[in-house]
C-alpha cells in the first residue's frame, strides 16, 4: 500500500471515530449536566470537519506534477494544516466563551456516570492518537500529524473534564462549576496544541532547514557511489509526503562531461532507491581542482 493510500485510509478511520465519540459525548454531557463533556463533544465535532479537510488535502496534494505545477501539489497539505489549526482556535474560543458563561450561571452538579464515559474516551482517544501518529511518521504527512494531535488534544481535554467533574461530584455544593473551569483550561490546551501543529507546517511552506538527519544520510549514500570524491551543499525541502533535494558533488576535474553526468545519475538512482520518499534530486557537479 502506498503512502497516499495509507494516509487516506487512516483519515477515514479518524472521521468515523470522531463522529461516534462526538455523539456519545454530547448525549452524555446533555443528560449528565456537564458542560465540560459538551465542550469535549464540540471539539470532537470540529475534529470531524478538520479530518475532512485533511482528507481533501491528502487527495489534492497527491496529484502528480503537471505543466503548471512542476513540483507537484504537495504544498496543499501544509495549507490544509493551516485551515485545521484555524478551526482549532475557533473551537477553543467558543469553548472558552461558553465555559465563562456557565461559570457565571448556577447549574446542577454533573451526574456520576459521566466519569465512566470520560474514562473510556481518554483511553480510546489516546489509542487513536498513537495509531494516527504512527501512520503520519510512516507517510511523512504533516496534515496526518495534525490529525493525530487532534486525538491527543481530545484525550487531554477529556482527562481535564474528568478531573473537573470529579471535583464537582465529590466536593459537593459550591464546586458545581469545577467542570466548567476544566473546560476553560481545556480551551487553552487546544490553542497550545494548535501552535504545535502550526509551527512545522509553516516551516514546510517556507522551506525551512529542518532535515539534518536526512542530509547526513544523503551525504553517506552519495559517498558510496563510485566517482564521488565529496559532497558540498545539500538542501532538502518537503512537499506533501515527499522531498526534493539539491546536492553539490565534488568529482575528478579531469573526467569528461559525459562521465560527470553518469555519476550524477547514479547518485540520484542510489538516493531514490535508499530513500523512496525523495521525489527528485537536482545535482550540481563541482571539479576537485578548483
Amino acid at each position: 500500500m502506498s503512502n497516499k493510500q495509507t494516509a487516506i485510509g487512516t483519515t477515514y478511520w479518524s472521521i468515523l471515530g470522531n463522529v461516534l465519540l462526538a455523539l456519545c459525548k454530547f448525549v452524555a454531557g446533555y443528560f449528565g449536566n456537564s458542560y465540560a463533556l459538551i465542550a469535549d463533544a464540540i471539539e470532537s465535532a470540529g475534529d470531524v470537519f478538520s479530518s475532512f479537510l485533511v482528507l481533501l488535502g491528502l487527495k489534492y496534494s497527491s496529484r502528480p506534477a503537471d505543466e503548471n505545477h512542476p513540483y507537484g501539489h504537495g504544498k496543499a497539505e501544509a495549507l490544509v494544516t493551516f485551515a485545521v489549526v484555524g478551526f482549532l482556535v475557533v473551537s477553543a474560543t467558543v469553548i472558552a466563551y461558553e465555559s465563562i458563561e456557565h461559570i457565571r450561571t448556577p447549574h446542577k452538579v454533573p451526574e456520576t456516570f459521566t466519569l465512566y464515559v470520560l474514562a473510556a474516551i481518554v483511553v480510546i482517544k489516546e489509542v487513536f492518537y498513537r495509531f494516527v501518529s504512527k501512520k503520519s511518521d510512516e507517510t511523512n504527512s504533516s496534515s496526518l500529524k495534525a490529525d493525530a494531535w487532534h486525538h491527543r488534544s481530545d484525550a487531554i481535554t477529556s482527562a481535564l473534564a474528568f478531573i473537573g467533574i470529579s471535583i464537582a461530584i465529590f466536593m459537593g455544593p459550591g464546586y458545581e462549576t469545577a467542570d466548567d473551569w476544566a473546560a476553560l483550561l481545556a480551551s487553552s490546551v487546544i490553542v497550545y496544541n494548535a501552535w504545535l501543529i502550526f509551527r512545522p507546517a509553516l516551516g514546510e511552506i517556507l522551506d525551512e532547514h529542518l532535515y539534518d538527519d536526512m542530509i547526513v544520510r544523503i551525504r553517506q549514500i552519495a559517498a558510496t557511489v563510485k566517482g564521488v570524491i565529496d559532497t558540498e551543499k545539500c538542501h532538502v525541502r518537503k512537499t506533501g509526503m515527499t522531498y526534493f533535494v539539491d546536492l553539490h558533488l565534488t568529482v575528478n576535474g579531469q573526467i569528461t562531461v559525459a562521465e560527470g553526468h553518469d555519476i550524477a545519475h547514479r547518485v540520484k538512482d542510489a538516493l531514490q532507491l535508499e530513500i523512496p520518499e525523495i521525489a527528485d534530486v537536482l545535482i550540481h557537479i563541482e571539479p576537485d581542482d578548483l
Side-chain angles (χ1 to χ4, degrees), residues 218-228 266-267 270 274:
I218 287 170
R219 292 186 186 281
Q220 291 172 340
I221 294 170
T224 65
V225 176
K226 184 178 179 181
V228 175
R266 285 190 279 117
V267 169
E274 293 295 325

Side-chain angles (χ1 to χ4, degrees), residues 69-87:
H69 305 87
Y71 294 102
H73 300 76
K75 294 293 185 182
E77 191 182 357
L79 293 175
V80 166
T81 302
F82 292 159
V84 172
V85 168
F87 196 81

Side-chain angles (χ1 to χ4, degrees), residues 20-43:
L20 295 176
L21 285 174
L23 290 173
C24 290
K25 289 176 184 179
F26 183 81
V27 171
Y30 179 80
F31 289 103
N33 303 315
S34 171
Y35 183 70
L37 201 47
I38 294 176
D40 225 4
I42 293 173
E43 188 192 358

Side-chain angles (χ1 to χ4, degrees), residues 29-290:
Y30 179 80
F31 289 103
N33 303 315
S34 171
Y35 183 70
L37 201 47
I38 294 176
D40 225 4
I42 293 173
E43 188 192 358
S44 288
D47 288 349
V48 174
F49 180 75
S50 65
S51 291
F52 270 115
L53 287 179
V54 170
L55 183 61
L56 292 175
L58 286 171
K59 288 187 175 183
Y60 184 83
S61 66
S62 298
R63 291 182 178 182
D66 56 36
E67 185 176 349
N68 292 326
H69 305 87
Y71 294 102
H73 300 76
K75 294 293 185 182
E77 191 182 357
L79 293 175
V80 166
T81 302
F82 292 159
V84 172
V85 168
F87 196 81
L88 268 177
V89 173
V90 170
S91 297
T93 302
V94 171
I95 291 172
Y97 174 80
E98 293 294 336
S99 297
I100 293 171
E101 289 297 307
H102 278 74
I103 289 171
R104 297 168 58 185
T105 306
H107 57 80
K108 297 179 182 178
V109 173
E111 298 292 337
T112 304
F113 77 83
T114 57
L115 293 176
Y116 299 103
V117 175
L118 282 167
I121 289 170
V122 170
V123 174
I124 292 171
K125 280 308 226 175
E126 183 63 20
V127 169
F128 262 95
Y129 164 75
R130 293 177 183 273
F131 171 71
V132 179
S133 182
K134 179 181 178 182
K135 294 301 180 181
S136 71
D137 291 336
E138 291 175 1
T139 59
N140 297 305
S141 171
S142 59
S143 60
L144 206 57
K145 176 66 73 175
D147 206 32
W149 269 104
H150 272 287
H151 292 295
R152 169 57 67 80
S153 175
D154 217 359
I156 292 172
T157 54
S158 295
L160 289 172
F162 182 92
I163 295 171
I165 292 174
S166 297
I167 292 173
I169 291 174
F170 296 111
M171 296 299 289
Y175 290 88
E176 294 87 352
T177 61
D179 72 317
D180 302 311
W181 284 102
L184 184 60
L185 179 59
S187 67
S188 64
V189 173
I190 294 171
V191 171
Y192 176 69
N193 283 333
W195 166 252
L196 293 180
I197 297 166
F198 172 80
R199 185 61 187 87
L202 178 63
E204 184 176 331
I205 284 289
L206 297 177
D207 292 331
E208 187 176 353
H209 179 77
L210 299 170
Y211 311 106
D212 287 321
D213 291 342
M214 177 172 282
I215 289 174
V216 170
R217 191 177 175 198
I218 287 170
R219 292 186 186 281
Q220 291 172 340
I221 294 170
T224 65
V225 176
K226 184 178 179 181
V228 175
I229 295 175
D230 198 5
T231 56
E232 293 185 354
K233 296 178 183 178
C234 182
H235 302 303
V236 175
R237 52 196 171 94
K238 188 171 182 287
T239 302
M241 290 179 275
T242 59
Y243 299 90
F244 287 82
V245 178
D246 297 324
L247 178 63
H248 286 215
L249 298 177
T250 302
V251 300
N252 186 337
Q254 302 304 313
I255 63 176
T256 65
V257 172
E259 289 172 322
H261 177 77
D262 181 62
I263 292 172
H265 270 284
R266 285 190 279 117
V267 169
K268 178 178 178 178
D269 292 341
L271 289 173
Q272 291 185 306
L273 178 63
E274 293 295 325
I275 311 176
E277 296 82 16
I278 293 179
D280 198 11
V281 185
L282 179 62
I283 296 178
H284 177 80
I285 297 295
E286 297 277 3
D288 67 339
D289 54 359
L290 287 183

